[in-house]
Amino acid sequence: MRVLPEGRLSYGIQLPVQSQSTMFAEPWEARAGPADLVEIARAADRLGFAYIAVCDHVAIPRRLAAAMGTVWYDPVATLAYLAAATERVRLLSHVAVAALRHPLLSAKQYATLDHLSGGRLILGVGAGHVREEFEALGVDFAARGALLDETIDALKAALGPEEFPAFRGERFVFAGLGQAPRPAQLPRPPLWVGGSSAAAVRRAAERGDGWLPQGDPRDRLPGQIARLRELRERAARRDPGCAEPAEIGAIAEPLYVGAPGWEVGRRTLTGTPDRLAESLRAYAAMGVDQIQVRFRCRDRAELIDQMAAFAAEVAPHLDD
């Protein structure tokens, strides 16, 4: 179920403000709010970004709050809010911790979002890593992998074309229960699987329409992609739904288009548009279909300027 243009390296963005871990948030985001989110989403919409992404955490325990922060906007509410402010950009949950919620509840929320947005949802899901979130919601943290596998299967059924979907698994059973509105996308919205563990790669190959690696360095990506493709080919022999190749993503290094007049960090890719495009084309050569980009910036205006410079001067050369 491909949603990105073939033969091109697409680019999307994880929105700032909506998640504020100290590992990636810029200082200005602490003072930002909904108006900033809307303006950045609108910029992504008009500048040709493939998607805007929002992450998911229900509650952060005190032991992790210093590093992760407690600002994590709800993905469904946030994407629905931004859907009304945009027209074409796709709406990605990167990623929803799907096993924390009953699949019928998630299906109701995400089907409504897809319906309201005119079919722009990409449902990204992952296993989660914060034990206390699972414990507070009465979900077995140790069994989250198997639970996510079944949740994905149930979501595929519940988000499909049937008004009265049916599913029978070990944990979830439903039939004869109608849900409307249905998603706008047929046969259902695409489902991308996040994570870079062996289990996550297997899950993406066997159950996903796409893969969202979580911070794999460049030198590790080719091996991961080869493994995913091998597992996908095996799965296709059993499940015709896996016959189409999975759409493969990557999180690029932080970017700054041009010569920054401030310290942007040694891992940040900087320089002329040609230099940046040449560096990013390496992802396409590995077999990556879309890169998630992040720009170093000191305020909203600088971020939007960087997005515009990337779209006008770098993106046209990603497929050279």
Side-chain angles (χ1 to χ4, degrees), residues 189-238:
L191 194 151
W192 292 357
V193 175
S196 293
S197 68
V201 173
R202 185 265 313 158
R203 186 173 296 119
E206 297 178 352
R207 287 179 161 84
D209 303 306
W211 177 47
L212 295 163
Q214 191 62 39
D216 290 82
R218 289 196 191 202
D219 60 356
R220 189 172 181 231
L221 269 175
Q224 291 276 71
I225 292 170
R227 179 60 175 163
L228 181 139
R229 287 174 170 167
E230 176 187 355
L231 293 170
R232 185 80 169 181
E233 289 176 5
R234 291 184 195 174
R237 298 177 197 137
R238 306 185 304 272

mmCIF file of all heavy atoms in Angstrom, residues 189-238:
data_model
loop_
_atom_site.group_PDB
_atom_site.id
_atom_site.type_symbol
_atom_site.label_atom_id
_atom_site.label_comp_id
_atom_site.label_asym_id
_atom_site.label_seq_id
_atom_site.Cartn_x
_atom_site.Cartn_y
_atom_site.Cartn_z
ATOM 1 N N PRO A 189 -6.295 3.006 5.716
ATOM 2 C CA PRO A 189 -5.111 3.864 5.797
ATOM 3 C C PRO A 189 -3.838 3.019 5.897
ATOM 4 O O PRO A 189 -3.853 1.909 6.446
ATOM 5 C CB PRO A 189 -5.345 4.667 7.088
ATOM 6 C CG PRO A 189 -6.807 4.586 7.337
ATOM 7 C CD PRO A 189 -7.238 3.247 6.825
ATOM 8 N N PRO A 190 -2.716 3.526 5.379
ATOM 9 C CA PRO A 190 -1.449 2.792 5.501
ATOM 10 C C PRO A 190 -0.997 2.710 6.945
ATOM 11 O O PRO A 190 -1.246 3.618 7.748
ATOM 12 C CB PRO A 190 -0.477 3.624 4.658
ATOM 13 C CG PRO A 190 -1.082 4.984 4.612
ATOM 14 C CD PRO A 190 -2.565 4.793 4.650
ATOM 15 N N LEU A 191 -0.310 1.623 7.261
ATOM 16 C CA LEU A 191 0.164 1.381 8.618
ATOM 17 C C LEU A 191 1.666 1.153 8.568
ATOM 18 O O LEU A 191 2.122 0.194 7.947
ATOM 19 C CB LEU A 191 -0.565 0.175 9.220
ATOM 20 C CG LEU A 191 -0.450 -0.019 10.720
ATOM 21 C CD1 LEU A 191 -1.700 -0.719 11.253
ATOM 22 C CD2 LEU A 191 0.788 -0.816 11.088
ATOM 23 N N TRP A 192 2.419 2.043 9.177
ATOM 24 C CA TRP A 192 3.872 1.944 9.230
ATOM 25 C C TRP A 192 4.300 1.535 10.633
ATOM 26 O O TRP A 192 3.744 2.015 11.624
ATOM 27 C CB TRP A 192 4.525 3.280 8.863
ATOM 28 C CG TRP A 192 4.351 3.692 7.429
ATOM 29 C CD1 TRP A 192 3.737 2.991 6.434
ATOM 30 C CD2 TRP A 192 4.809 4.914 6.830
ATOM 31 N NE1 TRP A 192 3.783 3.698 5.255
ATOM 32 C CE2 TRP A 192 4.437 4.878 5.463
ATOM 33 C CE3 TRP A 192 5.494 6.029 7.313
ATOM 34 C CZ2 TRP A 192 4.725 5.923 4.590
ATOM 35 C CZ3 TRP A 192 5.782 7.068 6.433
ATOM 36 C CH2 TRP A 192 5.402 7.007 5.083
ATOM 37 N N VAL A 193 5.288 0.675 10.711
ATOM 38 C CA VAL A 193 5.770 0.151 11.987
ATOM 39 C C VAL A 193 7.087 0.809 12.348
ATOM 40 O O VAL A 193 8.020 0.848 11.533
ATOM 41 C CB VAL A 193 5.927 -1.381 11.926
ATOM 42 C CG1 VAL A 193 6.538 -1.901 13.222
ATOM 43 C CG2 VAL A 193 4.572 -2.040 11.674
ATOM 44 N N GLY A 194 7.177 1.315 13.577
ATOM 45 C CA GLY A 194 8.389 1.968 14.037
ATOM 46 C C GLY A 194 9.240 1.083 14.923
ATOM 47 O O GLY A 194 8.756 0.135 15.551
ATOM 48 N N GLY A 195 10.537 1.403 14.963
ATOM 49 C CA GLY A 195 11.457 0.684 15.831
ATOM 50 C C GLY A 195 12.587 0.050 15.056
ATOM 51 O O GLY A 195 12.456 -0.230 13.855
ATOM 52 N N SER A 196 13.706 -0.182 15.735
ATOM 53 C CA SER A 196 14.898 -0.718 15.070
ATOM 54 C C SER A 196 15.401 -2.018 15.669
ATOM 55 O O SER A 196 16.426 -2.531 15.244
ATOM 56 C CB SER A 196 16.015 0.332 15.110
ATOM 57 O OG SER A 196 15.673 1.441 14.310
ATOM 58 N N SER A 197 14.702 -2.553 16.655
ATOM 59 C CA SER A 197 15.088 -3.852 17.195
ATOM 60 C C SER A 197 14.794 -4.936 16.168
ATOM 61 O O SER A 197 14.079 -4.718 15.175
ATOM 62 C CB SER A 197 14.305 -4.140 18.475
ATOM 63 O OG SER A 197 12.926 -4.324 18.177
ATOM 64 N N ALA A 198 15.333 -6.129 16.409
ATOM 65 C CA ALA A 198 15.056 -7.246 15.504
ATOM 66 C C ALA A 198 13.563 -7.531 15.439
ATOM 67 O O ALA A 198 13.020 -7.831 14.364
ATOM 68 C CB ALA A 198 15.823 -8.482 15.967
ATOM 69 N N ALA A 199 12.884 -7.427 16.580
ATOM 70 C CA ALA A 199 11.436 -7.671 16.605
ATOM 71 C C ALA A 199 10.690 -6.617 15.808
ATOM 72 O O ALA A 199 9.716 -6.926 15.111
ATOM 73 C CB ALA A 199 10.939 -7.698 18.047
ATOM 74 N N ALA A 200 11.127 -5.355 15.896
ATOM 75 C CA ALA A 200 10.455 -4.283 15.165
ATOM 76 C C ALA A 200 10.633 -4.441 13.660
ATOM 77 O O ALA A 200 9.695 -4.228 12.885
ATOM 78 C CB ALA A 200 10.974 -2.928 15.628
ATOM 79 N N VAL A 201 11.836 -4.810 13.228
ATOM 80 C CA VAL A 201 12.074 -5.024 11.798
ATOM 81 C C VAL A 201 11.229 -6.191 11.294
ATOM 82 O O VAL A 201 10.620 -6.122 10.214
ATOM 83 C CB VAL A 201 13.577 -5.266 11.534
ATOM 84 C CG1 VAL A 201 13.815 -5.663 10.083
ATOM 85 C CG2 VAL A 201 14.385 -4.020 11.877
ATOM 86 N N ARG A 202 11.171 -7.252 12.070
ATOM 87 C CA ARG A 202 10.320 -8.394 11.707
ATOM 88 C C ARG A 202 8.859 -7.978 11.624
ATOM 89 O O ARG A 202 8.143 -8.331 10.683
ATOM 90 C CB ARG A 202 10.514 -9.502 12.748
ATOM 91 C CG ARG A 202 9.779 -10.800 12.451
ATOM 92 C CD ARG A 202 8.431 -10.897 13.148
ATOM 93 N NE ARG A 202 8.500 -10.544 14.542
ATOM 94 C CZ ARG A 202 7.448 -10.153 15.245
ATOM 95 N NH1 ARG A 202 6.256 -10.023 14.668
ATOM 96 N NH2 ARG A 202 7.563 -9.840 16.526
ATOM 97 N N ARG A 203 8.416 -7.179 12.584
ATOM 98 C CA ARG A 203 7.020 -6.722 12.612
ATOM 99 C C ARG A 203 6.706 -5.847 11.393
ATOM 100 O O ARG A 203 5.651 -5.974 10.776
ATOM 101 C CB ARG A 203 6.782 -5.947 13.911
ATOM 102 C CG ARG A 203 5.369 -5.515 14.172
ATOM 103 C CD ARG A 203 5.251 -4.905 15.563
ATOM 104 N NE ARG A 203 5.540 -5.895 16.591
ATOM 105 C CZ ARG A 203 6.544 -5.789 17.484
ATOM 106 N NH1 ARG A 203 7.366 -4.756 17.463
ATOM 107 N NH2 ARG A 203 6.722 -6.739 18.381
ATOM 108 N N ALA A 204 7.626 -4.958 11.045
ATOM 109 C CA ALA A 204 7.425 -4.105 9.878
ATOM 110 C C ALA A 204 7.356 -4.933 8.602
ATOM 111 O O ALA A 204 6.533 -4.670 7.712
ATOM 112 C CB ALA A 204 8.545 -3.076 9.780
ATOM 113 N N ALA A 205 8.216 -5.943 8.499
ATOM 114 C CA ALA A 205 8.248 -6.778 7.302
ATOM 115 C C ALA A 205 6.990 -7.618 7.165
ATOM 116 O O ALA A 205 6.436 -7.769 6.068
ATOM 117 C CB ALA A 205 9.475 -7.685 7.329
ATOM 118 N N GLU A 206 6.515 -8.168 8.266
ATOM 119 C CA GLU A 206 5.409 -9.118 8.222
ATOM 120 C C GLU A 206 4.029 -8.477 8.334
ATOM 121 O O GLU A 206 3.044 -9.062 7.882
ATOM 122 C CB GLU A 206 5.570 -10.156 9.336
ATOM 123 C CG GLU A 206 6.810 -11.012 9.193
ATOM 124 C CD GLU A 206 6.999 -12.004 10.321
ATOM 125 O OE1 GLU A 206 6.239 -11.923 11.321
ATOM 126 O OE2 GLU A 206 7.892 -12.853 10.214
ATOM 127 N N ARG A 207 3.974 -7.274 8.942
ATOM 128 C CA ARG A 207 2.652 -6.691 9.211
ATOM 129 C C ARG A 207 2.486 -5.257 8.724
ATOM 130 O O ARG A 207 1.368 -4.768 8.649
ATOM 131 C CB ARG A 207 2.373 -6.727 10.726
ATOM 132 C CG ARG A 207 2.064 -8.117 11.248
ATOM 133 C CD ARG A 207 1.817 -8.097 12.757
ATOM 134 N NE ARG A 207 1.106 -9.291 13.184
ATOM 135 C CZ ARG A 207 1.683 -10.450 13.460
ATOM 136 N NH1 ARG A 207 2.993 -10.571 13.357
ATOM 137 N NH2 ARG A 207 0.960 -11.496 13.834
ATOM 138 N N GLY A 208 3.579 -4.569 8.390
ATOM 139 C CA GLY A 208 3.486 -3.158 8.071
ATOM 140 C C GLY A 208 3.430 -2.877 6.581
ATOM 141 O O GLY A 208 3.800 -3.708 5.751
ATOM 142 N N ASP A 209 2.978 -1.682 6.263
ATOM 143 C CA ASP A 209 3.081 -1.153 4.909
ATOM 144 C C ASP A 209 4.339 -0.310 4.750
ATOM 145 O O ASP A 209 4.703 0.060 3.635
ATOM 146 C CB ASP A 209 1.855 -0.282 4.584
ATOM 147 C CG ASP A 209 0.552 -1.045 4.743
ATOM 148 O OD1 ASP A 209 0.427 -2.119 4.131
ATOM 149 O OD2 ASP A 209 -0.336 -0.571 5.486
ATOM 150 N N GLY A 210 4.964 0.014 5.868
ATOM 151 C CA GLY A 210 6.190 0.794 5.852
ATOM 152 C C GLY A 210 6.957 0.585 7.143
ATOM 153 O O GLY A 210 6.450 0.012 8.115
ATOM 154 N N TRP A 211 8.213 1.039 7.135
ATOM 155 C CA TRP A 211 9.093 0.902 8.305
ATOM 156 C C TRP A 211 9.654 2.264 8.677
ATOM 157 O O TRP A 211 10.140 3.016 7.829
ATOM 158 C CB TRP A 211 10.237 -0.073 7.995
ATOM 159 C CG TRP A 211 11.234 -0.219 9.116
ATOM 160 C CD1 TRP A 211 10.965 -0.409 10.443
ATOM 161 C CD2 TRP A 211 12.656 -0.186 9.004
ATOM 162 N NE1 TRP A 211 12.134 -0.497 11.168
ATOM 163 C CE2 TRP A 211 13.191 -0.363 10.309
ATOM 164 C CE3 TRP A 211 13.533 -0.032 7.931
ATOM 165 C CZ2 TRP A 211 14.564 -0.384 10.557
ATOM 166 C CZ3 TRP A 211 14.895 -0.049 8.173
ATOM 167 C CH2 TRP A 211 15.405 -0.234 9.478
ATOM 168 N N LEU A 212 9.593 2.567 9.972
ATOM 169 C CA LEU A 212 10.107 3.809 10.533
ATOM 170 C C LEU A 212 11.230 3.472 11.505
ATOM 171 O O LEU A 212 10.980 3.251 12.697
ATOM 172 C CB LEU A 212 8.992 4.559 11.276
ATOM 173 C CG LEU A 212 7.825 5.066 10.425
ATOM 174 C CD1 LEU A 212 6.629 5.412 11.309
ATOM 175 C CD2 LEU A 212 8.254 6.266 9.604
ATOM 176 N N PRO A 213 12.469 3.388 11.035
ATOM 177 C CA PRO A 213 13.575 3.092 11.966
ATOM 178 C C PRO A 213 13.733 4.192 12.990
ATOM 179 O O PRO A 213 13.388 5.347 12.749
ATOM 180 C CB PRO A 213 14.791 2.991 11.043
ATOM 181 C CG PRO A 213 14.422 3.748 9.828
ATOM 182 C CD PRO A 213 12.943 3.607 9.665
ATOM 183 N N GLN A 214 14.255 3.813 14.130
ATOM 184 C CA GLN A 214 14.374 4.763 15.224
ATOM 185 C C GLN A 214 15.838 5.122 15.440
ATOM 186 O O GLN A 214 16.509 4.571 16.304
ATOM 187 C CB GLN A 214 13.768 4.183 16.508
ATOM 188 C CG GLN A 214 13.607 5.182 17.643
ATOM 189 C CD GLN A 214 12.675 6.320 17.289
ATOM 190 O OE1 GLN A 214 11.664 6.118 16.634
ATOM 191 N NE2 GLN A 214 13.012 7.529 17.698
ATOM 192 N N GLY A 215 16.343 6.021 14.596
ATOM 193 C CA GLY A 215 17.675 6.551 14.832
ATOM 194 C C GLY A 215 18.823 5.660 14.421
ATOM 195 O O GLY A 215 19.938 5.820 14.928
ATOM 196 N N ASP A 216 18.611 4.733 13.505
ATOM 197 C CA ASP A 216 19.727 3.917 13.036
ATOM 198 C C ASP A 216 20.775 4.801 12.359
ATOM 199 O O ASP A 216 20.441 5.600 11.481
ATOM 200 C CB ASP A 216 19.242 2.890 12.013
ATOM 201 C CG ASP A 216 18.402 1.812 12.644
ATOM 202 O OD1 ASP A 216 17.197 2.049 12.861
ATOM 203 O OD2 ASP A 216 18.937 0.742 12.921
ATOM 204 N N PRO A 217 22.047 4.668 12.725
ATOM 205 C CA PRO A 217 23.083 5.411 11.999
ATOM 206 C C PRO A 217 23.200 4.907 10.566
ATOM 207 O O PRO A 217 22.774 3.790 10.240
ATOM 208 C CB PRO A 217 24.352 5.112 12.802
ATOM 209 C CG PRO A 217 24.071 3.841 13.518
ATOM 210 C CD PRO A 217 22.611 3.829 13.799
ATOM 211 N N ARG A 218 23.804 5.713 9.712
ATOM 212 C CA ARG A 218 23.872 5.367 8.290
ATOM 213 C C ARG A 218 24.530 4.015 8.046
ATOM 214 O O ARG A 218 24.100 3.253 7.177
ATOM 215 C CB ARG A 218 24.638 6.436 7.523
ATOM 216 C CG ARG A 218 23.906 7.744 7.377
ATOM 217 C CD ARG A 218 24.554 8.571 6.302
ATOM 218 N NE ARG A 218 24.066 9.940 6.279
ATOM 219 C CZ ARG A 218 24.134 10.729 5.216
ATOM 220 N NH1 ARG A 218 24.699 10.281 4.106
ATOM 221 N NH2 ARG A 218 23.677 11.972 5.256
ATOM 222 N N ASP A 219 25.585 3.719 8.796
ATOM 223 C CA ASP A 219 26.309 2.486 8.505
ATOM 224 C C ASP A 219 25.510 1.239 8.894
ATOM 225 O O ASP A 219 25.821 0.136 8.450
ATOM 226 C CB ASP A 219 27.674 2.489 9.191
ATOM 227 C CG ASP A 219 27.596 2.595 10.706
ATOM 228 O OD1 ASP A 219 26.475 2.750 11.256
ATOM 229 O OD2 ASP A 219 28.657 2.543 11.358
ATOM 230 N N ARG A 220 24.468 1.406 9.696
ATOM 231 C CA ARG A 220 23.662 0.256 10.097
ATOM 232 C C ARG A 220 22.441 0.055 9.197
ATOM 233 O O ARG A 220 21.892 -1.043 9.115
ATOM 234 C CB ARG A 220 23.197 0.444 11.549
ATOM 235 C CG ARG A 220 22.540 -0.784 12.146
ATOM 236 C CD ARG A 220 22.260 -0.633 13.618
ATOM 237 N NE ARG A 220 21.643 -1.836 14.148
ATOM 238 C CZ ARG A 220 20.517 -1.849 14.870
ATOM 239 N NH1 ARG A 220 19.899 -0.721 15.143
ATOM 240 N NH2 ARG A 220 20.025 -2.982 15.316
ATOM 241 N N LEU A 221 22.040 1.098 8.511
ATOM 242 C CA LEU A 221 20.806 1.021 7.729
ATOM 243 C C LEU A 221 20.832 -0.030 6.614
ATOM 244 O O LEU A 221 19.847 -0.760 6.443
ATOM 245 C CB LEU A 221 20.465 2.387 7.150
ATOM 246 C CG LEU A 221 19.560 3.281 7.988
ATOM 247 C CD1 LEU A 221 19.412 4.641 7.324
ATOM 248 C CD2 LEU A 221 18.190 2.642 8.202
ATOM 249 N N PRO A 222 21.902 -0.132 5.804
ATOM 250 C CA PRO A 222 21.862 -1.119 4.719
ATOM 251 C C PRO A 222 21.587 -2.539 5.202
ATOM 252 O O PRO A 222 20.821 -3.278 4.564
ATOM 253 C CB PRO A 222 23.246 -0.987 4.074
ATOM 254 C CG PRO A 222 23.644 0.434 4.357
ATOM 255 C CD PRO A 222 23.123 0.706 5.734
ATOM 256 N N GLY A 223 22.207 -2.931 6.302
ATOM 257 C CA GLY A 223 21.958 -4.268 6.835
ATOM 258 C C GLY A 223 20.533 -4.435 7.317
ATOM 259 O O GLY A 223 19.916 -5.495 7.118
ATOM 260 N N GLN A 224 19.995 -3.407 7.950
ATOM 261 C CA GLN A 224 18.617 -3.455 8.420
ATOM 262 C C GLN A 224 17.642 -3.559 7.243
ATOM 263 O O GLN A 224 16.666 -4.322 7.276
ATOM 264 C CB GLN A 224 18.309 -2.194 9.236
ATOM 265 C CG GLN A 224 19.030 -2.101 10.570
ATOM 266 C CD GLN A 224 18.302 -2.859 11.655
ATOM 267 O OE1 GLN A 224 18.283 -4.101 11.659
ATOM 268 N NE2 GLN A 224 17.719 -2.135 12.586
ATOM 269 N N ILE A 225 17.911 -2.787 6.205
ATOM 270 C CA ILE A 225 17.032 -2.809 5.030
ATOM 271 C C ILE A 225 17.090 -4.175 4.338
ATOM 272 O O ILE A 225 16.061 -4.722 3.916
ATOM 273 C CB ILE A 225 17.414 -1.672 4.064
ATOM 274 C CG1 ILE A 225 17.080 -0.318 4.703
ATOM 275 C CG2 ILE A 225 16.697 -1.824 2.728
ATOM 276 C CD1 ILE A 225 17.633 0.873 3.944
ATOM 277 N N ALA A 226 18.282 -4.730 4.229
ATOM 278 C CA ALA A 226 18.415 -6.052 3.611
ATOM 279 C C ALA A 226 17.637 -7.096 4.400
ATOM 280 O O ALA A 226 16.965 -7.967 3.817
ATOM 281 C CB ALA A 226 19.889 -6.439 3.512
ATOM 282 N N ARG A 227 17.723 -7.024 5.729
ATOM 283 C CA ARG A 227 16.996 -7.967 6.572
ATOM 284 C C ARG A 227 15.491 -7.791 6.417
ATOM 285 O O ARG A 227 14.753 -8.778 6.287
ATOM 286 C CB ARG A 227 17.406 -7.772 8.033
ATOM 287 C CG ARG A 227 16.707 -8.680 9.029
ATOM 288 C CD ARG A 227 16.961 -10.146 8.734
ATOM 289 N NE ARG A 227 16.387 -11.011 9.743
ATOM 290 C CZ ARG A 227 16.180 -12.317 9.566
ATOM 291 N NH1 ARG A 227 16.535 -12.908 8.427
ATOM 292 N NH2 ARG A 227 15.662 -13.045 10.524
ATOM 293 N N LEU A 228 15.029 -6.554 6.392
ATOM 294 C CA LEU A 228 13.602 -6.297 6.228
ATOM 295 C C LEU A 228 13.103 -6.865 4.901
ATOM 296 O O LEU A 228 12.043 -7.501 4.835
ATOM 297 C CB LEU A 228 13.326 -4.797 6.318
ATOM 298 C CG LEU A 228 11.848 -4.385 6.177
ATOM 299 C CD1 LEU A 228 11.488 -3.289 7.167
ATOM 300 C CD2 LEU A 228 11.539 -3.910 4.764
ATOM 301 N N ARG A 229 13.869 -6.648 3.842
ATOM 302 C CA ARG A 229 13.441 -7.147 2.525
ATOM 303 C C ARG A 229 13.415 -8.667 2.486
ATOM 304 O O ARG A 229 12.517 -9.271 1.881
ATOM 305 C CB ARG A 229 14.356 -6.584 1.450
ATOM 306 C CG ARG A 229 14.105 -5.098 1.177
ATOM 307 C CD ARG A 229 15.103 -4.526 0.214
ATOM 308 N NE ARG A 229 14.725 -3.191 -0.223
ATOM 309 C CZ ARG A 229 15.526 -2.352 -0.866
ATOM 310 N NH1 ARG A 229 16.779 -2.726 -1.147
ATOM 311 N NH2 ARG A 229 15.115 -1.153 -1.217
ATOM 312 N N GLU A 230 14.395 -9.293 3.131
ATOM 313 C CA GLU A 230 14.423 -10.760 3.179
ATOM 314 C C GLU A 230 13.191 -11.286 3.901
ATOM 315 O O GLU A 230 12.523 -12.223 3.429
ATOM 316 C CB GLU A 230 15.696 -11.223 3.881
ATOM 317 C CG GLU A 230 15.793 -12.720 4.065
ATOM 318 C CD GLU A 230 16.986 -13.133 4.910
ATOM 319 O OE1 GLU A 230 17.800 -12.257 5.290
ATOM 320 O OE2 GLU A 230 17.104 -14.338 5.207
ATOM 321 N N LEU A 231 12.876 -10.686 5.061
ATOM 322 C CA LEU A 231 11.712 -11.115 5.822
ATOM 323 C C LEU A 231 10.417 -10.822 5.075
ATOM 324 O O LEU A 231 9.453 -11.591 5.152
ATOM 325 C CB LEU A 231 11.699 -10.420 7.187
ATOM 326 C CG LEU A 231 12.818 -10.823 8.155
ATOM 327 C CD1 LEU A 231 12.837 -9.898 9.361
ATOM 328 C CD2 LEU A 231 12.644 -12.273 8.599
ATOM 329 N N ARG A 232 10.405 -9.726 4.347
ATOM 330 C CA ARG A 232 9.213 -9.359 3.580
ATOM 331 C C ARG A 232 8.958 -10.386 2.474
ATOM 332 O O ARG A 232 7.804 -10.781 2.221
ATOM 333 C CB ARG A 232 9.410 -7.969 2.974
ATOM 334 C CG ARG A 232 8.204 -7.398 2.245
ATOM 335 C CD ARG A 232 7.228 -6.821 3.214
ATOM 336 N NE ARG A 232 6.175 -6.045 2.568
ATOM 337 C CZ ARG A 232 5.223 -5.429 3.235
ATOM 338 N NH1 ARG A 232 5.170 -5.489 4.560
ATOM 339 N NH2 ARG A 232 4.293 -4.743 2.603
ATOM 340 N N GLU A 233 9.998 -10.806 1.797
ATOM 341 C CA GLU A 233 9.845 -11.811 0.742
ATOM 342 C C GLU A 233 9.312 -13.124 1.306
ATOM 343 O O GLU A 233 8.455 -13.772 0.703
ATOM 344 C CB GLU A 233 11.183 -12.028 0.041
ATOM 345 C CG GLU A 233 11.617 -10.853 -0.826
ATOM 346 C CD GLU A 233 12.989 -11.062 -1.428
ATOM 347 O OE1 GLU A 233 13.559 -12.166 -1.249
ATOM 348 O OE2 GLU A 233 13.507 -10.130 -2.085
ATOM 349 N N ARG A 234 9.810 -13.512 2.473
ATOM 350 C CA ARG A 234 9.305 -14.736 3.104
ATOM 351 C C ARG A 234 7.832 -14.586 3.465
ATOM 352 O O ARG A 234 7.021 -15.492 3.248
ATOM 353 C CB ARG A 234 10.112 -15.047 4.370
ATOM 354 C CG ARG A 234 11.540 -15.473 4.136
ATOM 355 C CD ARG A 234 12.155 -15.835 5.476
ATOM 356 N NE ARG A 234 13.607 -15.930 5.418
ATOM 357 C CZ ARG A 234 14.385 -16.114 6.465
ATOM 358 N NH1 ARG A 234 13.841 -16.234 7.684
ATOM 359 N NH2 ARG A 234 15.703 -16.191 6.331
ATOM 360 N N ALA A 235 7.483 -13.414 4.027
ATOM 361 C CA ALA A 235 6.101 -13.193 4.440
ATOM 362 C C ALA A 235 5.157 -13.198 3.248
ATOM 363 O O ALA A 235 4.008 -13.656 3.349
ATOM 364 C CB ALA A 235 5.995 -11.866 5.199
ATOM 365 N N ALA A 236 5.633 -12.697 2.101
ATOM 366 C CA ALA A 236 4.785 -12.623 0.913
ATOM 367 C C ALA A 236 4.380 -14.004 0.418
ATOM 368 O O ALA A 236 3.340 -14.152 -0.245
ATOM 369 C CB ALA A 236 5.494 -11.854 -0.190
ATOM 370 N N ARG A 237 5.171 -15.034 0.711
ATOM 371 C CA ARG A 237 4.819 -16.387 0.299
ATOM 372 C C ARG A 237 3.606 -16.899 1.063
ATOM 373 O O ARG A 237 2.883 -17.771 0.591
ATOM 374 C CB ARG A 237 6.007 -17.330 0.514
ATOM 375 C CG ARG A 237 7.238 -16.959 -0.304
ATOM 376 C CD ARG A 237 8.403 -17.872 -0.012
ATOM 377 N NE ARG A 237 9.655 -17.291 -0.485
ATOM 378 C CZ ARG A 237 10.789 -17.299 0.203
ATOM 379 N NH1 ARG A 237 10.836 -17.886 1.400
ATOM 380 N NH2 ARG A 237 11.882 -16.738 -0.295
ATOM 381 N N ARG A 238 3.398 -16.345 2.276
ATOM 382 C CA ARG A 238 2.266 -16.771 3.096
ATOM 383 C C ARG A 238 1.104 -15.792 3.026
ATOM 384 O O ARG A 238 -0.058 -16.188 3.181
ATOM 385 C CB ARG A 238 2.704 -16.909 4.555
ATOM 386 C CG ARG A 238 3.901 -17.802 4.791
ATOM 387 C CD ARG A 238 4.185 -17.967 6.277
ATOM 388 N NE ARG A 238 4.384 -16.695 6.956
ATOM 389 C CZ ARG A 238 5.565 -16.078 7.064
ATOM 390 N NH1 ARG A 238 6.654 -16.643 6.535
ATOM 391 N NH2 ARG A 238 5.673 -14.936 7.712
#
